[in-house]
Amino acid sequence: MTLSFKRPLVLVGAGKMGSALLNGWLAEGLSPSLVSVRDPAASPEITGLAAKGLSLNPSVHDIALTRPAVVLLAVKPQAMPEVLPELALLVQPETLFLSIAAGLGLHRLKELLGADAHAVRAMPNTPASVGRGITIACANELVTSEQRALTDSLLAAVGDVGWVENEAQIDAVTAISGSGPAYVFYLVECLAAAGENLGLDPDLAMKLARQTVSGSGEMLHRLEEPAAVLRANVTSPGGTTAAALDVLMGEGGLSPLMRRAALAARDRARALGK
């Protein structure tokens, strides 16, 4: 896939996720000359792209003259009330506003940008930085089929893409895939700590934990079998894995704990959107 634009793309906020998306787009052939970035604390990497034609921190008025195809909103949700009203100058039918701010609902985007904004709310996750992310999106009623296709092409540059029609599901998506990488990284920490507790050298315990989790993730990526089947394939009756799973799958084990954790994340996403 090669990204091809006739009108500019604007990135508002070039933190980790915004930069990950930008890098994915550039890798797919998007010319830096068609990108404007607004970020007062732009990284040296972003600043360096200015020498290749990227426009860094242009005025909103200057951006408006270019009639951008997409304005990607990648600032923190708490900063949106300050950032978005100024961007209302960019609202026009041919411009799509694509927000990746957790908890910021389409109704709030409408309040801050105006009722005429064509807006998509999306929830990517940090594996996008290595091209293995997944993003779920939801559009308001003004978004055209062409703008949906444009969203697909932008988000597919960093991983898989899916859509929901019920925006309330985005908060659940946030709890599972948006916050989920942190759960996996914490699993690695806990697994390494368990290894240390069994007498392993800390460096070896961490190496074992990292490789086990990343390798298992690669199996999930490559193989078609359900996770439950892959788990069963590792588990011999009466063996060591079965003994551990008796604990993890027992009363008060991993499943109810994960349900409570995801519920807490979902509820926090809802609170951020109010």
Side-chain angles (χ1 to χ4, degrees):
M1 180 185 70
T2 299
L3 287 176
S4 178
F5 281 77
K6 294 181 179 179
R7 302 202 323 275
L9 182 151
V10 181
L11 176 61
V12 183
K16 290 182 179 179
M17 186 55 68
S19 294
L21 288 165
L22 176 59
N23 287 334
W25 301 332
L26 296 175
E28 292 293 338
L30 181 65
S31 170
S33 64
L34 285 173
V35 178
S36 293
V37 173
R38 281 176 59 86
D39 189 326
S43 68
E45 179 184 13
I46 298 295
T47 303
L49 287 171
K52 299 181 180 180
L54 179 143
S55 177
L56 183 58
N57 292 320
S59 70
V60 174
H61 177 74
D62 287 343
I63 292 174
L65 295 176
T66 68
R67 296 171 51 249
V70 182
V71 178
L72 183 92
L73 305 172
V75 299
K76 295 183 182 301
Q78 298 88 337
M80 288 293 193
E82 178 183 352
V83 172
L84 290 195
E86 183 183 13
L87 298 179
L89 181 63
L90 305 179
V91 172
Q92 47 194 331
E94 61 265 38
T95 298
L96 173 68
F97 286 83
L98 175 56
S99 171
I100 62 170
L104 194 76
L106 291 171
H107 70 285
R108 187 66 174 137
L109 290 172
K110 182 177 179 179
E111 291 174 355
L112 294 170
L113 288 169
D116 295 330
H118 292 225
V120 168
R121 176 186 176 189
M123 185 70 250
N125 61 4
T126 54
S129 64
V130 292
R132 291 282 299 277
I134 183 167
T135 306
I136 302 299
C138 184
N140 73 8
E141 69 282 0
L142 298 178
V143 173
T144 66
S145 58
E146 290 81 6
Q147 289 172 329
R148 280 180 176 257
L150 176 58
T151 300
D152 279 334
S153 66
L154 287 171
L155 298 178
V158 292
D160 291 340
V161 186
W163 290 82
V164 295
E165 298 305 317
N166 179 3
E167 188 187 359
Q169 291 184 309
I170 291 289
D171 293 328
V173 169
T174 300
I176 302 303
S177 62
S179 300
Y183 314 157
V184 176
F185 299 147
Y186 186 54
L187 172 62
V188 171
E189 294 179 68
C190 291
L191 196 56
E196 289 187 55
N197 188 58
L198 295 176
L200 293 176
D201 175 81
D203 289 342
L204 176 59
M206 179 56 73
K207 182 176 182 178
L208 291 172
R210 288 180 69 113
Q211 287 297 109
T212 298
V213 171
S214 63
S216 300
E218 189 63 21
M219 290 179 67
L220 284 167
H221 178 65
R222 294 189 186 189
L223 304 180
E224 295 183 356
E225 291 87 346
V229 171
L230 294 175
R231 169 178 54 79
N233 290 344
V234 184
T235 309
S236 301
T240 59
T241 307
L245 288 176
D246 284 344
V247 177
L248 291 173
M249 299 175 72
E251 184 177 355
L254 184 59
S255 181
L257 181 63
M258 189 59 71
R259 288 174 184 266
R260 294 200 304 273
L263 183 62
R266 192 278 312 271
D267 290 348
R268 181 56 180 159
R270 285 182 175 176
L272 287 171
K274 293 181 178 178

